[in-house]
Amino acid sequence: MEKITLTQPDDWHLHVRTGDILKQVIPHTARQFGRAIIMPNLTPPVKTVEQALIYRTEILQALDEQSDFEPLMTLYLTDNTSIETIKAAAENPFIHAFKLYPAGATTNSDAGVTSLKNIYPLLAAMEKHAIPLLIHGEVTAAEYDIFDREKLFIEQHLTAIINNFPDLRVVLEHVTTEEAVQFVESADPKVAATITPQHLMFNRNAMLVGGIKPHYYCLPVLKREKHRQALRKAATSGNPKFFLGTDSAPHFSHLKENACGCAGCYSAYGAIELYAEVFEQENALDKLEAFASFYGADFYQLPRNSRTITLSKQDWQIPENYPIGEHSLTPLKAGEVLSWRMAR
Ligand code: DOR
Ligand code: ZN
């Protein structure tokens, strides 16, 4: 049996929600990952250090007692975030970044930033206090085609942010296009990107050919094949600017199988196994450890994990769903077979 042993990975982009969903999903992540960057787009959003510490406690309480999984908290940036909040976040050992959602870009982004120019003083404070900015990089104006929104955000906003704040550490989250890959590759080393399993595995046909498949709908939306190929090349290139971030985003199945379905793919149940499949297909299993376990920690200036995990070549079937009370979560690739499995 083929086996690979890796330094324990971390998930640098994760949604875990609260309440019953949190209790179902957090053990899935903690089984594989040492740490995860926890996204703050709750309702209401996590905007202050105090709110983030309360949320952190709820996450820790949802974990097994023996678990040493560490949630790395983030704050939700708004037009009204104060400079004091930025300073307090940067000084707090449990808070690791601010997340910028352009208002209206995605799930629970209504409280997001309405004008990037207005928050330049906040970006200056983040640069000064050395706390990273994580960006959902899509323009939101109605006239823009949904498939162009990431590329336009880079042209209209990201280039200016990076030029104006050369010392600000920036992660362009869940990149989906060749243009984003090229932009990050040619930017300063302070600019990095996360890549999700769904954007490595699927193009937009998966979502739209043969009937609408809502469980492939996420934001930024899946793109055409040439973009998927660019992402696979970037992830397996050994370039430290690209690292693992699942964007695992649980929504109840009935809210995705809906006339107005929610955006998000649930991948936490088997994230490292999904990435292993991609890296094997690219003949790049030797590059998986650095992508999953080194580059993100290095970017966030945190120590790499000291434990290891082992994956074996072993077929297993992904459940059709994970029940939560009277509802359920449908995982990415529900009912399909994965060929790598993490040892317990
Ligand atoms: O598909 C997505 N789901 N994209 C996001 O940016 C947010 C996420 C969520 O919170 O559900
Ligand atoms: Zn996300």
Side-chain angles (χ1 to χ4, degrees):
M1 190 164 53
E2 247 184 285
K3 280 190 175 181
I4 42 175
T5 294
L6 309 172
T7 299
Q8 187 174 33
D10 302 300
D11 185 348
W12 299 99
H13 185 133
L14 180 67
H15 301 266
V16 294
R17 320 298 188 204
T18 59
D20 291 343
I21 293 192
L22 169 65
K23 290 194 190 100
Q24 170 65 43
V25 302
I26 198 72
H28 285 176
T29 288
R31 176 174 81 90
Q32 305 197 327
F33 295 102
R35 298 166 289 197
I37 283 278
I38 306 293
M39 288 294 149
N41 61 332
L42 305 182
T43 35
V46 179
K47 293 191 285 196
T48 66
V49 171
E50 293 69 33
Q51 289 166 341
L53 297 182
I54 292 168
Y55 187 27
R56 178 173 176 273
T57 303
E58 185 184 353
I59 295 169
L60 293 175
Q61 284 170 349
L63 286 162
D64 248 26
E65 255 166 48
Q66 306 91 312
S67 173
D68 31 28
F69 174 79
E70 214 185 313
L72 308 174
M73 308 311 292
T74 63
L75 299 189
Y76 190 113
L77 196 63
T78 75
D79 293 346
N80 303 314
T81 300
S82 69
I83 302 279
E84 293 73 55
T85 298
I86 288 169
K87 188 160 178 283
E91 285 169 356
N92 189 291
F94 301 120
I95 316 259
H96 293 270
F98 278 85
K99 177 72 186 279
L100 164 58
Y101 290 101
T106 187
T107 307
N108 300 341
S109 63
D110 298 349
V113 169
T114 59
S115 154
L116 281 154
K117 276 268 145 69
N118 288 349
I119 60 153
Y120 269 29
L122 303 180
L123 303 187
M126 276 176 230
E127 181 182 44
K128 177 174 161 205
H129 295 291
I131 185 161
L133 174 67
L134 317 182
I135 301 183
H136 183 111
E138 290 193 283
V139 294
T140 54
E143 70 256 34
Y144 297 126
D145 190 279
I146 189 166
F147 292 103
D148 296 333
R149 288 178 174 206
E150 183 175 274
K151 181 180 87 168
L152 292 172
F153 184 90
I154 293 168
E155 291 169 14
Q156 295 180 7
H157 303 293
L158 187 57
T159 305
I161 290 174
I162 289 184
N163 290 340
N164 279 289
F165 306 101
D167 290 329
L168 181 63
R169 275 180 294 146
V170 171
V171 183
L172 185 55
E173 297 292 337
H174 41 51
V175 286
T176 64
T177 57
E178 188 175 39
E179 289 84 357
V181 166
Q182 284 166 359
F183 178 84
V184 171
E185 280 171 351
S186 60
D188 184 270
K190 292 205 163 62
V191 180
T194 52
I195 308 183
T196 77
Q198 65 267 24
H199 293 104
L200 292 170
M201 295 185 124
F202 304 107
N203 64 36
R204 61 198 193 179
N205 282 9
M207 180 178 60
L208 294 171
V209 172
I212 288 192
K213 317 261 177 37
H215 297 294
Y216 294 94
Y217 175 62
C218 65
L219 289 170
V221 74
L222 295 174
K223 304 295 193 299
R224 62 167 70 237
E225 178 64 9
K226 73 165 182 179
H227 299 294
R228 186 179 79 104
Q229 290 302 333
L231 297 171
R232 288 170 76 100
K233 212 164 146 222
T236 57
S237 66
N239 183 336
K241 291 173 150 194
F242 298 99
F243 46 82
L244 185 157
T246 62
D247 198 16
S248 178
H251 291 276
F252 284 132
S253 308
H254 70 283
L255 298 178
K256 289 189 64 66
E257 298 161 8
N258 191 291
C260 184
C262 295
C265 297
Y266 182 61
S267 59
Y269 71 90
I272 194 67
E273 291 113 336
L274 291 163
Y275 285 106
E277 196 130 305
V278 171
F279 277 67
E280 182 179 41
Q281 287 160 359
E282 294 290 321
N283 278 319
L285 276 174
D286 60 321
K287 300 285 196 330
L288 179 62
E289 182 179 42
F291 173 81
S293 317
F294 296 165
Y295 299 151
D298 298 350
F299 179 89
Y300 278 89
Q301 301 173 349
L302 292 169
R304 296 175 181 181
N305 290 323
S306 49
R307 274 164 302 179
T308 58
I309 63 162
T310 298
L311 304 178
S312 310
K313 199 77 203 270
Q314 182 194 338
D315 283 354
W316 62 287
Q317 195 178 13
I318 302 164
E320 290 291 345
N321 61 67
Y322 293 98
I324 302 182
E326 66 203 66
H327 299 303
S328 70
L329 290 180
T330 302
L332 185 68
K333 286 172 80 79
E336 293 183 43
V337 171
L338 275 183
S339 61
W340 288 95
R341 178 142 224 194
M342 197 184 116
R344 301 211 150 243

